[in-house]
């Protein structure tokens, strides 16, 4: 018998970092990439196979400590022994690039364990189990990544509040592009925290940009949203979470017709997101990014009221 669990990536359109301090963020699931976890029977201690670790769970490295704790907690919740399982984690989400890979791994693993033991999994239980692992991975995470991936909706997130779904009238294309550089969210969040007094004003600016973006998304104002994305990138750069590649590639996107471009996620490496009205423009931008050093570009079609 096999237990299967899947989870997509996520894109933060506005409000990363500021969301940790109670500001609004706007995020959506990113279905072009995915994690798939498969749980099967294997006698003996639990083993894992994944791109970053292959071997026994018990002796696993610090890097997957969050997942180890998550598996143990989930099995405890299911009242099952911590043994006789093999968990295979396959991913098309590049890790540590701001696309939510750690939250998606956690979500897919919990889903696969519940599926294996043929148990119903509610959103609340999934959230509770996954938030625990995210706390270990990320150090004071807002919960935005896990919530967006669990909800699979275009949403407005505010820490500690009920999430709201955005009814989007945006029609156009997001170009998501990977610098190929690893960004460490935990470190970025900690650096912003370290200089919080100095950064307070920038957090307020980012929060205000999210507020302004909401009616633009609801009205389908691509041009207005693009402007706000540019302003958000500039504020994130001043916050110290951008880097040379992200600055250069967001500029390449603008020079090739993007309505706006900004880093997405934790920053200091990882991905950027750019906006265009048409597919032809999106392809020009995606190609320009690849020709200027990006490792991968995805084109994501924004359709009116896509999420229900
Ligand atoms: C990471 O994807 C988003 C951050 O805002 C951190 C968080 O919300 O926990 C940088």
């Amino acid at each position: 018998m096999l237990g299967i669990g899947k989870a997509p990536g996520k894109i933060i359109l506005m409000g990363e970092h500021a969301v940790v301090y109670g500001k609004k963020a706007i995020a959506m699931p990113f279905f072009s990439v995915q994690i798939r976890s498969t749980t099967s029977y294997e006698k003996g201690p639990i083993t894992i196979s994944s791109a970053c670790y292959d071997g026994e769970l018990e002796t696993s490295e610090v890097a997957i400590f969050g997942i180890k704790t998550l598996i143990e907690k989930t099995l405890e919740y299911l009242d099952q022994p911590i043994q006789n399982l093999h968990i295979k984690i396959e991913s098309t989400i590049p890790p540590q690039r701001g696309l939510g890979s750690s939250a998606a791994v956690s979500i897919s693993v919990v889903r696969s364990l519940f599926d294996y033991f043929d148990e119903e999994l509610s959103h609340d239980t999934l959230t509770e189990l996954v938030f625990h692992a995210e706390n270990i991975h990320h150090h004071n995470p807002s919960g935005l990544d896990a919530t967006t991936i669990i909800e699979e909706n275009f949403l407005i997130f505010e820490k500690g509040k009920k999430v709201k779904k955005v009814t989007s009238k945006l029609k156009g294309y997001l170009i998501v592009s990977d610098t190929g550089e690893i960004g460490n969210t935990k470190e970025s969040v900690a650096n912003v925290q370290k200089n919080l007094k100095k950064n307070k004003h920038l957090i307020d600016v980012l929060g205000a940009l999210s507020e302004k973006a909401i009616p633009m998304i609801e009205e389908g104002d691509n041009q207005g949203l693009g402007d706000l994305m540019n302003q958000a990138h500039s504020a994130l750069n001043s916050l110290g979470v951008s880097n040379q590649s992200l600055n250069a590639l967001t500029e390449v996107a603008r020079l090739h017709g993007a309505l706006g471009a900004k880093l997405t996620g934790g920053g200091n490496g990882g991905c950027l997101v750019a906006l265009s009205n048409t597919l032809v423009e999106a392809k020009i931008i995606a190609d320009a990014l690849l020709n200027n050093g990006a490792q991968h570009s995805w084109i994501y079609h924004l359709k009116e009221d896509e999420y229900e």
Side-chain angles (χ1 to χ4, degrees):
M1 199 181 98
L2 292 181
I4 311 265
K6 297 179 192 166
K10 66 98 209 322
I11 300 167
I12 303 177
L13 209 49
M14 283 294 202
E16 50 273 271
H17 286 287
V19 70
V20 175
Y21 302 96
K23 306 293 179 194
K24 285 186 186 136
I26 306 165
M28 61 174 75
F30 184 39
F31 294 109
S32 307
V33 290
Q34 193 192 54
I35 307 272
R36 179 189 158 97
S37 295
T38 310
T39 299
S40 56
Y41 179 82
E42 192 183 83
K43 200 167 170 45
I46 294 184
T47 53
I48 302 274
S49 71
S50 72
C52 72
Y53 180 75
D54 248 303
E56 284 184 20
L57 184 67
E58 197 44 46
T59 51
S60 62
E61 296 150 13
V62 177
I64 69 154
F65 182 64
I67 289 296
K68 179 172 182 284
T69 314
L70 178 75
I71 292 168
E72 289 166 356
K73 271 204 151 288
T74 305
L75 290 172
E76 204 176 290
Y77 183 93
L78 289 165
D79 211 8
Q80 295 291 340
I82 302 173
Q83 61 181 22
N84 297 338
L85 296 173
H86 174 66
I87 302 170
K88 183 163 104 188
I89 302 168
E90 296 165 291
S91 171
T92 57
I93 310 183
Q96 297 188 285
R97 309 294 219 290
L99 296 181
S101 88
S102 75
V105 167
S106 299
I107 291 163
S108 72
V109 165
V110 174
R111 284 180 171 154
S112 85
L113 286 168
F114 271 71
D115 189 41
Y116 181 81
F117 290 106
D118 207 12
E119 290 283 345
E120 286 284 320
L121 175 60
S122 71
H123 271 206
D124 285 353
T125 304
L126 178 58
T127 304
E128 194 190 310
L129 289 166
V130 165
F131 270 39
H132 190 80
E134 282 290 280
N135 265 319
I136 295 171
H137 278 305
H138 280 329
H139 171 85
N140 189 26
S142 64
L144 169 63
D145 291 15
T147 304
T148 308
I149 295 170
I150 292 171
E151 295 289 329
E152 291 196 2
N153 240 298
F154 200 160
L155 50 85
I156 301 166
F157 178 93
E158 223 176 325
K159 201 173 172 178
K161 297 209 175 143
K162 205 169 167 326
V163 295
K164 285 197 199 124
K165 288 174 187 163
V166 187
T167 308
S168 166
K169 282 214 163 57
L170 293 174
K171 281 185 272 180
Y173 294 84
L174 283 181
I175 303 94
V176 181
S177 198
D178 182 5
T179 61
E181 292 168 7
I182 282 172
N184 185 326
T185 300
K186 191 171 179 166
E187 260 172 43
S188 302
V189 170
N191 284 336
V192 172
Q193 165 83 43
K194 215 162 49 196
N195 301 310
L196 198 53
K197 230 175 162 178
K198 190 181 107 214
N199 288 332
K200 166 96 181 54
H201 159 70
L202 293 164
I203 302 278
D204 290 343
V205 168
L206 287 163
L209 289 170
S210 287
E211 299 281 356
K212 281 191 199 164
I214 296 166
M216 290 180 179
I217 294 169
E218 287 168 343
E219 285 153 25
D221 179 357
N222 282 15
Q223 184 73 55
L225 181 64
D227 281 349
L228 297 184
M229 287 167 73
N230 288 336
Q231 291 177 48
H233 184 79
S234 162
L236 288 162
N237 186 32
S238 305
L239 200 59
V241 298
S242 188
N243 69 7
Q244 226 180 341
S245 310
L246 286 164
N247 290 345
L249 288 175
T250 46
E251 195 51 26
V252 166
R254 288 179 206 112
L255 288 172
H256 286 81
L259 299 168
K262 63 179 275 293
L263 70 84
T264 183
N268 286 325
C271 288
L272 59 125
V273 61
L275 180 66
S276 78
N277 280 326
T278 69
L279 182 59
V280 173
E281 289 160 351
K283 282 184 176 157
I284 292 170
I285 297 162
D287 283 347
L289 290 167
L290 291 172
N291 291 335
N292 282 276
Q295 199 172 75
H296 199 100
S297 287
W298 297 265
I299 294 176
Y300 200 57
H301 193 182
L302 295 166
K303 295 178 205 137
E304 196 173 337
D305 295 337
E306 182 174 13
Y307 304 103
E308 290 304 325

